[in-house]
Each structure stands twice: as C-alpha cells, then as structure tokens.
C-alpha cells in the first residue's frame, strides 16, 4: 500500500493521470469491502477521467448519475492557487477571494475565502501540485482526456450539468434542489 501511495503522489504531483490498472484495482477492492460491510452506495470524486476508465467502470459496477460541477476556467485556476494547508493541524484553507462579474447573461460568481484561525496563519503551506503550471497542465489534460467522458455519460442519459453559483454555502442548497433532495436530508448525510 505504501508503495502504491508513493506512486500515486508522484504522478499526481506532476499533474499527470494515474494509470488505469492502479486505479481500477484500488477501486474494485474498496467497492468489494464496502459491499461486504453493507454499504448501499458510493460516490466517486474526480473519477473516471478517461472514456477508457468509464468503460472499465461500467464492467465493474453500475453508475446511476454523473454530476458535472462546472466553473469558468479562470476561476478554477484562481481557486486552486488559493489553496493552503496548515502544516501543524493539517486543515485545508483557501485564501482566494472570488468576485467575478456576470458576462453574456450568466450570473456573477462570488466565493468567499476560507481563512485560517490566527494560530494557523504562520504555518500555512501550499501543496506541491498547486502551482500555476501544474494547474494549467491539469486543465489541459482534462480538456483532452476528460471532456469526452462528459459525452460518454450524456449519451447514456446520466449526466447532470451543474453550474456552480458560488462557494459551498451558495451551491449546496441548489445542488440538493437539482437532485430533488431535501435540504435537511442533505445536511444529515453531509454530517454523517
Ligand atoms: Zn493549524
């Protein structure tokens, strides 16, 4: 496990994609373990990233719904570059303050920063893969390899497009609404 984690970290730090074999084997093990424990479902974050992975995933399990969380690219970059971690308590923060005006009829997007408490401020570090070059390389790889995945699920009628209206406080209720979920129900599962 240690070696595969190191392998994953090295690949991720270079902004590259992890090999399908590594991911599918880790994922299959995790899904089997969850099923054995009686888990009724699962949520994959940022996977599959290629059509090939999506095809393999279809052989491994059934996917009900794919949610495409969308933000304009300039905001994505700004948000990624604002990420900080406290090297003492390990908590994640974001110092980027987004205030984008709406263009061409689309609404503006505001995202408040997630600022650290005073005792963390002097201990903030930036992740090695949150440089502008790596973030832009991730976006290039996304547009090249992952955009076709949207089409893959769109043709299956499983793709839910969701334009993020702002940060988590603005987006969460709207996302639950789009999923036809009750806000209270959502809060419970988010806390669980
Ligand atoms: Zn801290």
């Amino acid at each position: 496990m240690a070696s595969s984690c190191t392998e994953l970290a090295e690949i991720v730090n270079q902004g590259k994609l992890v090999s399908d074999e590594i991911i599918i084997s880790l994922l299959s093990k995790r899904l089997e373990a969850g099923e054995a424990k009686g888990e009724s479902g699962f949520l994959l974050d940022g996977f599959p990233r290629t059509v090939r992975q999506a095809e393999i995933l279809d052989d491994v399990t059934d996917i009900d719904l794919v949610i495409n969380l969308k933000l304009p690219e300039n905001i994505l970059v700004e948000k990624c570059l604002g990420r900080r971690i406290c090297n003492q308590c390990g908590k994640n923060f974001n110092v980027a303050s987004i205030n984008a005006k709406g263009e061409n009829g689309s609404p503006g997007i505001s995202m408040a920063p997630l600022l650290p408490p005073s005792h963390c401020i002097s201990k903030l570090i930036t992740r090695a893969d949150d440089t502008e070059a790596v973030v832009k390389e991730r976006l290039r790889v996304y547009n090249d390899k992952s955009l076709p995945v949207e089409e893959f699920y769109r043709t299956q009628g499983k793709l839910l497009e969701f334009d993020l209206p702002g940060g988590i406080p603005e987006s969460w209720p709207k996302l639950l609404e789009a999923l036809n979920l009750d806000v209270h129900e959502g809060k419970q599962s988010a806390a669980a």
Side-chain angles (χ1 to χ4, degrees), residues 132-151:
E132 186 156 358
V134 175
V135 170
K136 292 218 159 132
E137 171 63 7
R138 283 211 298 263
L139 283 171
R140 194 194 61 75
V141 172
Y142 183 89
N143 287 326
D144 184 30
K145 302 275 198 261
S146 300
L147 269 185
V149 178
E150 296 178 15
E151 191 53 34

Side-chain angles (χ1 to χ4, degrees), residues 74-86 91-98 112-116 124-127 129-132 135 138:
N74 58 322
I75 295 182
L76 267 177
V77 172
E78 216 179 315
K79 208 60 197 162
C80 285
L81 297 182
R83 294 204 284 200
R84 300 289 184 276
I85 302 171
C86 173
K91 284 192 180 138
N92 290 285
F93 304 100
N94 200 304
V95 297
S97 181
I98 311 284
L114 181 61
L115 297 174
L124 292 188
I125 50 167
T126 305
R127 270 168 42 164
D129 57 344
D130 280 343
T131 66
E132 186 156 358
V135 170
R138 283 211 298 263

Side-chain angles (χ1 to χ4, degrees), residues 86 88-91 93 119-120 123:
C86 173
Q88 192 164 57
C89 67
K91 284 192 180 138
F93 304 100
H119 58 266
C120 293
K123 301 168 190 94

Side-chain angles (χ1 to χ4, degrees), residues 22-153:
I22 296 174
I23 285 204
I24 293 290
S25 101
L26 289 174
L27 183 64
S28 301
K29 273 182 214 152
R30 176 61 186 84
L31 290 179
E32 276 168 31
E35 214 172 291
K37 279 191 288 179
E39 286 176 3
S40 59
F42 57 88
L43 199 148
L44 301 174
D45 181 6
F47 183 87
R49 291 184 179 236
T50 65
V51 170
R52 162 129 182 84
Q53 289 175 354
E55 287 167 351
I56 302 174
L57 187 63
D58 266 356
D59 293 334
V60 175
T61 187
D62 292 323
I63 299 299
D64 297 320
L65 183 70
V66 176
I67 307 173
N68 193 21
L69 301 175
K70 297 164 87 172
L71 269 180
E73 215 165 280
N74 58 322
I75 295 182
L76 267 177
V77 172
E78 216 179 315
K79 208 60 197 162
C80 285
L81 297 182
R83 294 204 284 200
R84 300 289 184 276
I85 302 171
C86 173
N87 71 2
Q88 192 164 57
C89 67
K91 284 192 180 138
N92 290 285
F93 304 100
N94 200 304
V95 297
S97 181
I98 311 284
N99 265 305
K101 289 208 173 76
E103 279 170 27
N104 309 322
S106 61
I109 298 173
S110 291
M111 297 168 94
L114 181 61
L115 297 174
S118 55
H119 58 266
C120 293
I121 287 175
S122 63
K123 301 168 190 94
L124 292 188
I125 50 167
T126 305
R127 270 168 42 164
D129 57 344
D130 280 343
T131 66
E132 186 156 358
V134 175
V135 170
K136 292 218 159 132
E137 171 63 7
R138 283 211 298 263
L139 283 171
R140 194 194 61 75
V141 172
Y142 183 89
N143 287 326
D144 184 30
K145 302 275 198 261
S146 300
L147 269 185
V149 178
E150 296 178 15
E151 191 53 34
F152 179 85
Y153 287 113

